[in-house]
Amino acid sequence: FLYLPNDVVATSVDRFSPKQLDRRRPFRRPGSLRPGELMEALALPLNDQLEMRSQLFILLKNRARLLFVAWGVSKHTIPEAVLTANAGDERWDVTADICAALAAAIAAAGADSLFVLLPGVYQVDREIARSYVRALGLAADSVDMDQPQRELGRRLEARGIAWLDLTPALRRAHAAGRRDLYGRVDTHLAPAGHRLVAEELRPRLRALLAARPTGPSPGGG
């Protein structure tokens, strides 16, 4: 599974260092009364402290995420993959090459692979997308919600990698009135969204299994 808001990457990394659990920014005396300076010196450190200590703060922050996006103190934002400025970026080939390496390793183990593209809530609910674009002060033509699956899908196709985009299925369900596909606090897929993904995958996986050769392999395994 590739979650399009996060898994399209600009660089290939062989190793990650251990996660740093405490990344709190320290409080400091503001150097001026400029809004940006007050944000850096006081508001952002306060945000970090509360995120570390208060689940209630995280709940309230997520409920009011558009306001925090506009203030610049929220991690919620439009992913870089949907920005039209990145249409010609190398991130698409980098990500497709990583997928190709995974597919080769899977094939070497004697299994088939299917890369499933999962859209973010912004790509399914256009009103949420418009709200974020407004909150971030972006021009409407600076984002393209179909760009990630189009650009990545084209490159997966060119590499002979089996892939499936679930954006159309999730959009159809949303258009039919389904509002339970994504979480309201955590904006990843909710249980209903996972069930829909499973329903869409079932026939594709059955077709893959039916296409597999039967009987002993040439090596006798």
Side-chain angles (χ1 to χ4, degrees), residues 138-218:
L138 299 174
D141 60 358
S142 68
V143 298
D144 180 356
M145 294 301 164
D146 292 319
Q147 178 171 281
Q149 54 271 37
R150 182 179 64 248
E151 296 295 335
L152 183 56
R154 183 162 59 88
R155 287 162 174 80
L156 294 176
E157 194 82 30
R159 289 162 175 78
I161 297 172
W163 63 284
L164 176 64
D165 177 23
L166 290 183
T167 307
L170 286 159
R171 283 178 177 170
R172 285 193 301 270
H174 179 80
R178 296 286 301 274
R179 298 295 183 266
D180 57 351
L181 302 173
Y182 289 85
R184 294 184 179 182
V185 176
D186 185 316
T187 55
H188 290 83
L189 286 173
H194 284 289
R195 285 192 291 270
L196 179 63
V197 168
E199 291 166 4
E200 292 292 322
L201 278 177
R202 188 176 294 114
R204 183 66 179 266
L205 294 178
R206 284 176 175 164
L208 284 175
L209 290 172
R212 285 185 64 86
T214 58
S217 67

Side-chain angles (χ1 to χ4, degrees), residues 38-54:
L38 293 175
M39 188 75 69
E40 290 288 337
L42 301 175
L44 291 176
L46 177 62
N47 172 79
D48 293 349
Q49 293 284 342
L50 290 173
E51 278 192 346
M52 294 284 291
R53 292 177 166 81
S54 174

Side-chain angles (χ1 to χ4, degrees), residues 3-221:
Y3 184 58
L4 294 172
N6 299 122
D7 294 339
V8 177
V9 294
T11 57
S12 179
V13 179
D14 293 326
R15 182 174 305 207
F16 290 92
S17 60
K19 183 177 181 180
Q20 301 299 312
L21 297 180
D22 189 355
R23 293 184 177 180
R24 291 172 294 182
R25 284 161 284 206
F27 286 100
R28 60 179 175 81
R29 184 188 299 276
S32 71
L33 296 180
R34 291 184 301 106
E37 173 64 11
L38 293 175
M39 188 75 69
E40 290 288 337
L42 301 175
L44 291 176
L46 177 62
N47 172 79
D48 293 349
Q49 293 284 342
L50 290 173
E51 278 192 346
M52 294 284 291
R53 292 177 166 81
S54 174
Q55 292 293 324
L56 176 60
F57 173 74
I58 293 174
L59 173 63
L60 295 175
K61 180 178 175 179
N62 284 333
R63 290 288 187 178
R65 56 182 174 268
L66 290 179
L67 180 61
F68 282 99
V69 164
W71 288 352
V73 295
S74 174
K75 296 176 183 177
H76 291 281
T77 186
I78 291 289
E80 292 187 358
V82 304
L83 298 177
T84 55
N86 294 324
D89 195 81
E90 64 181 5
R91 69 185 65 228
W92 314 109
D93 286 303
V94 170
T95 304
D97 286 341
I98 293 172
C99 293
L102 289 169
I106 292 168
D112 294 322
S113 60
L114 174 64
F115 288 77
V116 182
L117 309 186
L118 296 175
V121 65
Y122 326 88
Q123 297 171 274
V124 173
D125 188 331
R126 297 190 184 278
E127 182 54 42
I128 289 180
R130 285 192 289 266
S131 297
Y132 272 83
V133 168
R134 287 194 299 266
L136 291 166
L138 299 174
D141 60 358
S142 68
V143 298
D144 180 356
M145 294 301 164
D146 292 319
Q147 178 171 281
Q149 54 271 37
R150 182 179 64 248
E151 296 295 335
L152 183 56
R154 183 162 59 88
R155 287 162 174 80
L156 294 176
E157 194 82 30
R159 289 162 175 78
I161 297 172
W163 63 284
L164 176 64
D165 177 23
L166 290 183
T167 307
L170 286 159
R171 283 178 177 170
R172 285 193 301 270
H174 179 80
R178 296 286 301 274
R179 298 295 183 266
D180 57 351
L181 302 173
Y182 289 85
R184 294 184 179 182
V185 176
D186 185 316
T187 55
H188 290 83
L189 286 173
H194 284 289
R195 285 192 291 270
L196 179 63
V197 168
E199 291 166 4
E200 292 292 322
L201 278 177
R202 188 176 294 114
R204 183 66 179 266
L205 294 178
R206 284 176 175 164
L208 284 175
L209 290 172
R212 285 185 64 86
T214 58
S217 67

